[in-house]
């Protein structure tokens, strides 16, 4: 019995690794479910759209997907599904955990739906993907911090809120790996964790927090490269920031944050920081009936490497861009992402694509808020809106993750990248 279970688990892991990367084929003339659509669902949808997971319906088979065909077409054409809002036409591309669809894949789905969503031949079906059990640690944590039990009623509006929990760690320690494990995958729409370092910090003010980790479906632990760590200050508390949603039955969730720590007294060569940068100085001014733009700037005094970008606004936020202003005055647009308050997505660059910048570079964060009737997230388009920490107030900054480089490391990095481009 035990061996059989182990066998299943190993198969499951193998299958996870072998999710087929879709060949960048053009759009087939007569797409069928098994041949053309199922591989797309496996790679980009089923991680959430399967039983007992966050999405409202399963898309694991033809029978399950067929009734949703029209809705699937609408959602993928609107780029609302899968949830991934980076603008593919601007700046740096190549992110970890990127499940977004290519234009050809969207067109394939559209044509499949328009031609009656045929099933095709069972023989064309890809092998089913066995997804890893999420409720499992992929690291072996030294310390686990739990959020307090939170009961999500059977039926209620969505709940956004924070809990702040002490850790038992009383000296400065560096984190080597970190994972957030949702208690019940059905109700946790997102969970973000932060280190609260200001002991006076009120529950609703995260401005001096350091970002720790994001729980996202299908994402395993963040394991930092050797010699890289995140600082957890002595006696820091952990802020859990949740979005819970109801699923038709009462569920109590308790989410855990697991930490693998470097030994006491060890200081890594590179410290990974994540902070609110490019904050707008002064008031946000978002008049009723208008789309506004606000600009925030943060100067980086050391050379460095960006590892992640996560736009942060509230209901009215629709788009945010991150630009670098180099000491020479030249500028480079790094990324633009559409924004939907329902999804707090951290865009982590693939290691080879992490943008590198010299000392004296200014990070420029550009935020757009839509306070018109056209914005579906807008609850009252007749009111002026300003900054603040309630969800009905607005915010505008990026959670930016980076580490500093020495001048020598910066030069070496530039050389290495130049050599790589010259060889291409
Ligand atoms: C990260 C998890 C996740 C991924 C990946 C994902 N979805 Fe979803 N999907 C959801 C959630 C959650 C909802 C419920 C609405 C919401 O929260 O936005 C949803 C809603 C939908 C809906 C609307 C259902 C309704 O009630 O009208 C469709 C259609 C859909 N998804 C299709 C897809 C397709 C097709 C893909 C892949 C190309 C995909 N989704 C990928 C999580 C996901």
């Amino acid at each position: 019995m035990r061996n059989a279970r182990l066998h299943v688990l190993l198969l499951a892991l193998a299958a996870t690794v072998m999710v087929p990367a879709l060949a960048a084929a053009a759009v087939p003339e007569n797409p069928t479910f098994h041949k053309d659509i199922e591989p797309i669902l496996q790679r980009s949808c089923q991680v959430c759209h399967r039983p007992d997971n966050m999405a409202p319906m399963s898309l694991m088979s033809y029978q399950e997907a067929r009734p949703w065909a029209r809705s699937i077409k609408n959602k993928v054409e609107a780029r609302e599904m899968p949830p991934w809002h980076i603008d593919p036409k601007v700046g740096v591309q190549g992110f970890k955990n990127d499940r977004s669809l290519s234009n050809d894949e969207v067109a394939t789905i559209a044509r499949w739906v328009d031609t009656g969503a045929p099933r095709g031949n069972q023989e064309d079906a890809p092998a089913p993907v066995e997804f890893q059990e999420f409720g499992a640690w992929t690291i072996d944590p030294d310390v686990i911090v739990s959020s307090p039990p939170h009961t999500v009623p059977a039926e209620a509006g969505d709940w956004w809120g924070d809990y702040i929990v002490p850790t038992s760690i009383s000296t400065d320690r560096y984190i080597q790996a970190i994972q957030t494990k949702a208690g019940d995958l059905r109700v946790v729409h997102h969970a973000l964790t932060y280190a609260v370092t200001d002991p006076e910090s009120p529950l609703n003010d995260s401005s001096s927090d350091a970002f720790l980790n994001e729980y996202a479906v299908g994402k395993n632990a963040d394991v930092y490269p050797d010699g890289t760590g995140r600082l957890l200050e002595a006696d820091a508390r952990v802020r859990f920031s949740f979005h819970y949603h109801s699923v038709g039955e009462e569920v109590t969730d308790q989410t855990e944050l697991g930490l693998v720590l470097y030994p006491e007294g060890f200081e890594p060569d590179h410290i990974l920081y994540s902070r609110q940068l490019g904050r707008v100085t002064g008031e946000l001014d978002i008049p009723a009936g208008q789309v506004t733009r606000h600009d925030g700037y943060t100067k980086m005094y050391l050379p460095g490497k960006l590892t992640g970008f996560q736009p942060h606004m509230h209901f009215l936020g629709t788009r945010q861009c991150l630009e670098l202003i180099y000491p020479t005055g030249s500028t480079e647009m790094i990324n633009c992402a559409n924004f939907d308050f329902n999804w707090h997505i951290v865009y982590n660059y693939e290691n080879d694509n992490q943008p590198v910048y010299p000392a004296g570079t200014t990070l420029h964060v550009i935020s757009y808020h839509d306070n018109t009737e056209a914005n579906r997230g807008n609850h009252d388009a007749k009111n002026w809106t300003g900054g603040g920490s309630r969800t009905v107030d607005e915010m505008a900054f990026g959670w930016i993750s980076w580490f500093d480089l020495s001048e020598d490391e910066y030069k070496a990095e530039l050389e290495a990248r130049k050599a790589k481009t010259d060889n291409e």
Side-chain angles (χ1 to χ4, degrees), residues 2-40:
R2 253 195 101 197
N3 277 341
R5 279 194 55 187
L6 184 66
H7 186 64
V8 170
L9 184 71
L10 287 177
L11 264 184
L13 285 175
T16 313
V17 178
M18 293 189 307
V19 176
L22 263 206
V27 185
E29 197 81 24
N30 292 301
T32 69
F33 181 80
H34 287 310
K35 191 156 189 281
D36 307 290
I37 305 302
E38 203 168 3
I40 301 177

Side-chain angles (χ1 to χ4, degrees), residues 186-201:
R186 294 170 302 163
V187 294
V188 182
H189 196 288
H190 75 245
L192 301 164
T193 54
Y194 307 87
V196 182
T197 47
D198 174 5
E200 314 276 273
S201 154

Side-chain angles (χ1 to χ4, degrees), residues 165-278:
V165 184
T167 64
S168 50
I169 303 164
S170 53
T171 52
D172 281 2
R173 295 291 292 272
Y174 288 91
I175 302 168
Q176 187 178 14
I178 185 165
Q179 183 181 356
T180 303
K181 189 159 90 59
D184 194 310
L185 299 165
R186 294 170 302 163
V187 294
V188 182
H189 196 288
H190 75 245
L192 301 164
T193 54
Y194 307 87
V196 182
T197 47
D198 174 5
E200 314 276 273
S201 154
L203 191 62
N204 59 5
D205 178 10
S206 61
S207 54
S208 62
D209 288 0
F211 179 70
L212 289 176
N213 187 243
E214 154 219 29
Y215 156 75
V217 193
K219 174 174 175 257
N220 291 328
D222 287 336
V223 180
Y224 304 132
D226 274 349
T228 306
R230 246 178 222 285
L231 174 63
L232 188 69
E233 285 183 24
D235 300 317
R237 294 168 298 158
V238 170
R239 172 196 298 277
F240 285 89
S241 187
F242 282 109
H243 172 185
Y244 281 120
H245 62 169
S246 295
V247 289
E249 79 184 77
E250 186 180 289
V251 174
T252 298
D253 172 72
Q254 199 163 7
T255 286
E256 293 175 310
L257 178 71
L259 305 169
V260 178
L261 300 171
Y262 282 107
E264 217 169 325
F266 178 90
E267 196 174 308
D269 295 337
H270 288 121
I271 302 175
L272 190 57
Y273 302 97
S274 298
R275 297 251 170 218
Q276 299 181 0
L277 301 187

